Amino acid sequence: MYYRINYMKHFLCITVILVLFSACQKEEGQGGQATIRGKVFGRYYNNSFSTLIGQAYVPEADVYIIYGDGFSYGDRVRTNYDGAYEFKYLREGNYKVYVYSKDTLDLEPSGVYPVIANVKISKKNQVVTLDDLIINQN
């Protein structure tokens, strides 16, 4: 009987330790202190995409983020008046940030394609500033 009680104590201790270690390994996503920021820059064309009319940072563009190896977006933000966006409170890990661009070559059935930036956050308080995400508009 003593051995059985002693065995149960060891089993319980090992189980608690395993649960604590698994709780320390957090996946990508919200709940951290890191930030990803950037801007969306647009090239504006006429309706047939034959003539570039102008270029500027894009306000009110939807920007998406995928956490880790996910297949669908985990969060969405809109750019402000000067095309800037920011994803805050992220954990360490890998992310994909993307925005949709109009298809100027008419290759995509949907008429749009994603412009994607791969990002790695390797420090707890890291702030990553991405290069501009350049999209086509009409």
Side-chain angles (χ1 to χ4, degrees), residues 17-44:
I17 290 171
L18 288 175
V19 168
L20 288 175
F21 276 118
S22 67
C24 293
Q25 298 174 350
K26 297 185 179 189
E27 294 182 11
E28 292 93 338
Q30 294 181 334
Q33 299 174 11
T35 300
I36 297 173
R37 63 174 55 139
K39 286 188 169 190
V40 176
F41 187 79
R43 296 182 189 137
Y44 294 90

Side-chain angles (χ1 to χ4, degrees), residues 95-114:
Y95 297 87
K96 288 183 177 83
V97 174
Y98 67 97
V99 64
Y100 287 105
S101 176
K102 297 276 182 138
D103 179 12
T104 59
L105 301 175
D106 206 21
L107 298 174
E108 297 291 330
S110 65
V112 296
Y113 65 93

Side-chain angles (χ1 to χ4, degrees), residues 4-117:
R4 186 176 182 150
I5 293 172
N6 201 19
Y7 171 75
M8 291 301 283
K9 284 182 182 179
H10 288 303
F11 177 75
L12 183 61
C13 287
I14 290 172
T15 303
V16 169
I17 290 171
L18 288 175
V19 168
L20 288 175
F21 276 118
S22 67
C24 293
Q25 298 174 350
K26 297 185 179 189
E27 294 182 11
E28 292 93 338
Q30 294 181 334
Q33 299 174 11
T35 300
I36 297 173
R37 63 174 55 139
K39 286 188 169 190
V40 176
F41 187 79
R43 296 182 189 137
Y44 294 90
Y45 290 87
N46 64 350
N47 285 339
S48 63
F49 290 104
S50 60
T51 305
L52 180 65
I53 297 170
Q55 302 182 76
Y57 286 101
V58 182
E60 300 296 319
D62 290 324
V63 183
Y64 304 88
I65 188 167
I66 297 175
Y67 305 139
D69 294 327
F71 293 105
S72 62
Y73 71 91
D75 197 6
R76 175 188 65 134
V77 297
R78 288 191 148 220
T79 58
N80 66 13
Y81 69 94
D82 69 348
Y85 64 88
E86 193 169 72
F87 293 99
K88 293 182 175 183
Y89 312 114
L90 300 173
R91 295 187 191 124
E92 296 173 39
N94 296 310
Y95 297 87
K96 288 183 177 83
V97 174
Y98 67 97
V99 64
Y100 287 105
S101 176
K102 297 276 182 138
D103 179 12
T104 59
L105 301 175
D106 206 21
L107 298 174
E108 297 291 330
S110 65
V112 296
Y113 65 93
V115 176
I116 303 170

